[in-house]
Amino acid sequence: MSYLIHKIRYAFSVQRIPNGTHLIVGLGNPGKIYENTRHNAGQLFIKHLAKEFDIKMNNGSNGSIGSFQHIILFNPLSFMNSSGHPIKKIADKANISTSNIIIVHDDLDNLPGRCKIKLGGSAEGHNGLKSIIQYMDDKFIRLKIGIGRPNSKDPAIVSDYVMSKLDYEPSQQAFKQGIVLVRQLFKF
């Protein structure tokens, strides 16, 4: 069993996944121009997860949504930096507490091809997370998809990097790891 799974099991022996309906949200930006970019790693993961569990995603006014057992998958139609409002709307409508929400997003500080899970905490400079915290709180679970960091801290270079195309092989590896994590978290 991988180190990552042991880490997850340890984290959830301290704070277990609460019972009830869960919402797994993929952060990203709408539109063809952003479709396969590093910044859309969260939404791409949700598409892979839906395919893995044969979940039909339906397009609605707030985004793409599907469900399986006690889990709702959601890809908001809003831009990432404004994602807090539609996520809160879906959570309120389904009566889902923040602790039952998993946010999947790109992570500059994690190597490409790697997944990391974190319980709560600050936005760490991620504007999508800032928006969610603004509308809710920071008690959600994060599934961080590693995209790596460019060799510069210049904001313009970092922005260009996250808006560039996602590397296929590492992203597939990260998505597979993420699916294993979801299976482990929900025991299916």
Side-chain angles (χ1 to χ4, degrees), residues 26 73 129 147 181:
L73 303 181
L129 297 178
I147 61 169
L181 291 174

Side-chain angles (χ1 to χ4, degrees), residues 5 8 12 17 22 24 45-46 49 52-53 55 68 70-71 73 102 104 115 117 143 175-188:
I5 299 302
I8 295 298
F12 288 106
I17 289 277
H22 291 80
I24 305 177
F45 175 78
I46 294 296
L49 190 61
E52 175 77 14
F53 293 109
I55 301 168
F68 170 75
H70 59 285
I71 298 169
L73 303 181
I102 299 173
V104 187
C115 267
I117 199 153
L143 180 59
F175 296 157
K176 286 178 186 174
Q177 269 186 13
I179 288 169
V180 168
L181 291 174
V182 169
R183 285 184 182 280
Q184 291 290 323
L185 290 174
F186 295 105
K187 296 182 173 45
F188 57 77

Side-chain angles (χ1 to χ4, degrees), residues 48-93:
H48 277 77
L49 190 61
K51 186 176 179 183
E52 175 77 14
F53 293 109
D54 199 27
I55 301 168
K56 180 172 176 17
M57 299 294 286
N58 299 300
N59 295 323
S61 59
N62 290 315
S64 180
I65 193 163
S67 63
F68 170 75
Q69 294 181 10
H70 59 285
I71 298 169
I72 297 171
L73 303 181
F74 180 53
N75 274 340
L77 228 132
S78 63
F79 281 89
M80 184 182 297
N81 297 355
S82 304
S83 58
H85 183 256
I87 294 169
K88 177 154 179 52
K89 217 169 151 179
I90 294 289
D92 286 350
K93 186 176 182 177

